[in-house]
Amino acid sequence: MVLMVAALSTSCRYNRNITYFTEVERDEAKEIINIYNSVVLPGDNLHIYVSSNTPESVVAFNEETNGTMSLGLSDKQDSCIGYTVSGSGAIRFPFLGKIHVAGYTLDSLELVLQAMLVDSGLVKDPVVDVTLTNFRVTVLGEVKHPQQLHPDGMRLTVLEALAMC
């Protein structure tokens, strides 16, 4: 009887230690140094905001940004603000027309749009801010709440995503 109790109490126990990060010494903090800048792809939704020392000169560029459009990603209506990159990798920007944006990083797209606005004579001193609004991460598996996350920033680590679920 004692032998059976001992066998049952240890048979369901998992004794192996699991090492999640083999390259990190125990109790050692590591700084995340990778700087990631998203590349624009077809289907991305961009929020583009143009500002200037003369606010009246940029009102037309921000009208599209102030409207909402449905993405149709789920049963509940997700709405985003901004410009959706077409399958060919372009957006239609006021006064500048069709602009190919796929393949640019967000930082380089800001510089390209600023240069186009200056070169066209539309705005003398534009400051362009481009952000990706449909960045999302799906977490599935053995977590308490499997879900799709819509983080505020453009960066989310695996541990942060797991902690949120």
Side-chain angles (χ1 to χ4, degrees):
M1 181 69 158
V2 173
L3 198 55
M4 190 155 94
V5 171
L8 288 175
S9 66
T10 60
S11 64
C12 294
R13 204 164 137 214
Y14 190 73
N15 289 328
R16 192 175 85 173
N17 291 331
I18 298 174
T19 304
Y20 291 104
F21 299 101
T22 57
E23 69 279 354
V24 179
E25 294 295 322
R26 184 174 167 85
D27 300 326
E28 177 186 348
K30 285 281 190 179
E31 181 182 354
I32 300 172
I33 55 173
N34 293 343
I35 298 173
Y36 180 75
N37 197 349
S38 294
V39 175
V40 177
L41 298 172
D44 283 348
N45 194 14
L46 304 174
H47 176 271
I48 301 174
Y49 187 78
V50 182
S51 59
S52 171
N53 287 334
T54 53
E56 61 277 355
S57 68
V58 296
V59 170
F61 302 110
N62 297 323
E63 285 178 0
E64 180 79 18
T65 302
N66 293 331
T68 60
M69 64 185 86
S70 173
L71 291 178
L73 296 174
S74 65
D75 293 338
K76 67 177 187 177
Q77 287 298 315
D78 293 324
S79 61
C80 286
I81 299 171
Y83 301 87
T84 300
V85 181
S86 69
S88 64
I91 60 169
R92 291 208 176 272
F93 200 71
F95 299 103
L96 297 177
K98 189 174 181 179
I99 302 171
H100 184 78
V101 296
Y104 286 105
T105 64
L106 298 179
D107 293 339
S108 63
L109 182 56
E110 290 173 354
L111 297 174
V112 166
L113 289 174
Q114 285 176 2
M116 290 176 85
L117 289 168
V118 170
D119 293 345
S120 66
L122 294 169
V123 184
K124 291 182 183 178
D125 58 346
V127 176
V128 178
D129 182 44
V130 179
T131 54
L132 184 65
T133 59
N134 61 337
F135 175 64
R136 60 190 179 275
V137 176
T138 303
V139 180
L140 301 172
E142 293 189 39
V143 292
K144 189 173 184 178
H145 301 286
Q147 60 184 309
Q148 191 172 76
L149 304 172
H150 300 271
D152 293 333
M154 293 294 302
R155 181 177 170 162
L156 183 70
T157 66
V158 172
L159 293 178
E160 289 171 335
L162 289 174
M164 293 170 87
C165 292

